[in-house]
Amino acid sequence: MSPLLWEVNLRCRWTELESVHGRRFQLCDWPEEELDLWQARGVTDVWLMGLWPTGPRARQIAREHPDLRLVYDTVLPGWRPDDVAGSPYAIAAYEVPERFGGRDALLRLRERLHQRGIRLILDFVPNHLGLDHPWVREHPEWFVGSPGPRPGTFEAAVGPDRSGLGGGGRGPARRWLAHGRDPYFPPWTDTVQWDHRSAAARRALVNTLCEVAGLCDGVRCDMAMLVLRSVFARTWEGWPAPADPVDGEFWAEAIEAVRSKRPDFLFVAEAYWGLEGCLRELGFDFTYDKGLYDVLVRGEGPGIQRYLLEQSPDALAAGVHFLENHDEPRAARVFPPDRHRAAAWTVMALPGMRFLHDGQCEGARLRLPVQLSRRPPEQPDPAIVQIYEEIFRIQKRAGIGRGGARLLTPLAAWEGNPSGLNFVLIVWQQAADRFTLVAINHAPHPGQCRAPWPAEAVRSGRWRVHEHGAGWTDQRDAAAMVAQGIYLDLPARGVQVLEFTRMEGPVA
């Protein structure tokens, strides 16, 4: 079954729950109706974004940062300092805060999810820690550092020198540690950069991941490509090397350490720069499909079709397909309703991991900084709500997400008709005598094409065809469809879901 990942902004959701119910909540108190809704929608994985605590230094930076304050003023007018919880990616400890009920409450929520066939996904940040983590003081040698100030560093209050950068181990040393960063952007000033060249740092991080794995069923790994050896070496070239160098890829060792005890543990990588395949080779189950997101935003039908047909079946099946997440603008703001429907159907009908973000199905339009723990209320957009209700309803009935899936290359409806270049055709093969065809026209005008008969389907006999949108049913002969293709005629941005079931006897 094709998984469906649901991202929850935990801090904001908790503020809302406690405000509505007028009492303190724990994770184990999660409302039954919300868990039931996830189950009814086919959610297989729930990602609690923002579970881990942020410390006081990181919160102070988030509250005082001038650029962030401008964003807070825009999205949450009248915000208060208490509304700024700090970045969930400046982690002070991989511990469940008492505000959420601690470790036991999380495990009880996990059990309730399991009863509904849903896995629990948590964040793991391999590139950096928050400034408030005790290891910054206790083990400065685990982080990229310098004996003197450099751009992107901060002076750390540390214990006796163990880094080899100076001080000779004779007491506290003046030491500058690097902030975590992506090589293409300024440093994240509320973080400190792990030194992935250090054997001791790697051991500590692998052990931390194993501890996190004891609390959940999978991890979404933030900016996973930053810790690849080749990327790390380029990013930190010229910085002092650690005294205990280590070989090999971090991810290969870390994933093996977890899967030696949890073979079915899920690894999802936030990944960019064309390095998704490398991360999958190292053991990741799924990697972000940012390429699909970009072509859907551009909205050019031939580009969308070309991108998808150029993907290998394995890459497509390992992609995390999305229209938004907490790092991207809200889909309701980017896509007008007609384009939104075509794009949402594309994401939700593809093989791989489908990914929905908190508020997306209601048409939320405000992109909230992750540092905020409160968000303004937004009225649901009926047009967007209808799109997702249709998708959830039809997918469940039509068997989308079950069986094998692949893309078909559209054939011209007739000579000289290029409109099929705007179509995406996805077939889900439940059995040789049953399959579902999802056809999406990404053009701003009507289009026609013919879908090739799926290679895995029986090529003879009478077939029942049920269209799940309009609700009509027909009977057709396989021989004609094999010879001529399945004719499709869709309006602008139109979607059609056809379920084919083989029947007995001659064509009526």
Side-chain angles (χ1 to χ4, degrees), residues 8 10 13-14 17 25-32 34-36 38 46-49 51 96 100-122 215-217:
V8 178
L10 180 61
R13 186 68 188 119
W14 225 242
L17 286 171
F25 257 62
Q26 295 187 343
L27 288 167
C28 53
D29 299 324
W30 207 295
E32 197 81 7
E34 196 162 343
L35 304 186
D36 291 341
W38 291 338
V46 168
W47 164 25
L48 300 185
M49 193 280 292
L51 173 69
V96 184
F100 300 134
R103 178 189 178 97
D104 289 345
L106 178 68
L107 294 177
R108 288 163 64 189
L109 171 62
R110 179 185 172 193
E111 179 57 32
R112 292 176 65 201
L113 291 171
H114 286 180
Q115 292 169 3
R116 293 166 171 80
I118 300 174
R119 295 177 291 199
L120 175 64
I121 308 299
L122 298 179
L215 299 175
C216 58
D217 307 297

Side-chain angles (χ1 to χ4, degrees), residues 47 80 106 128-129 147 163 172 191 198 217 223-224 266 290 293 321 336 345 364 386 392 395 418 434 447 465 486 489:
W47 164 25
R80 305 180 299 269
L106 178 68
H128 50 266
L129 281 176
S163 69
T191 70
S198 162
D217 307 297
M223 299 292 281
L266 190 69
K290 180 65 159 53
Y293 171 79
H321 313 304
W345 264 108
Q386 184 177 359
F392 293 131
Q395 287 204 334
R434 184 188 174 203
V465 184
I486 303 166
D489 186 349

Side-chain angles (χ1 to χ4, degrees), residues 42 66 85 119 186 206 266 435 440 481 493:
R119 295 177 291 199
V206 169
L266 190 69
F435 66 88
I440 305 154
M481 292 187 288
R493 318 289 189 193

Side-chain angles (χ1 to χ4, degrees), residues 326-377:
H326 66 259
D327 289 319
E328 306 290 352
R330 285 292 196 172
R333 188 174 290 277
V334 173
F335 300 94
D338 60 338
R339 282 187 57 205
H340 196 145
R341 180 171 180 258
W345 264 108
T346 302
V347 165
M348 294 291 284
L350 283 171
M353 175 174 275
R354 292 124 351 118
F355 176 16
L356 294 172
H357 181 211
D358 209 3
Q360 178 179 341
C361 298
E362 292 73 41
R365 300 176 66 84
L366 287 176
R367 177 187 174 188
L368 202 74
V370 294
Q371 291 85 358
L372 290 178
S373 61
R374 182 169 66 91
R375 56 192 171 195

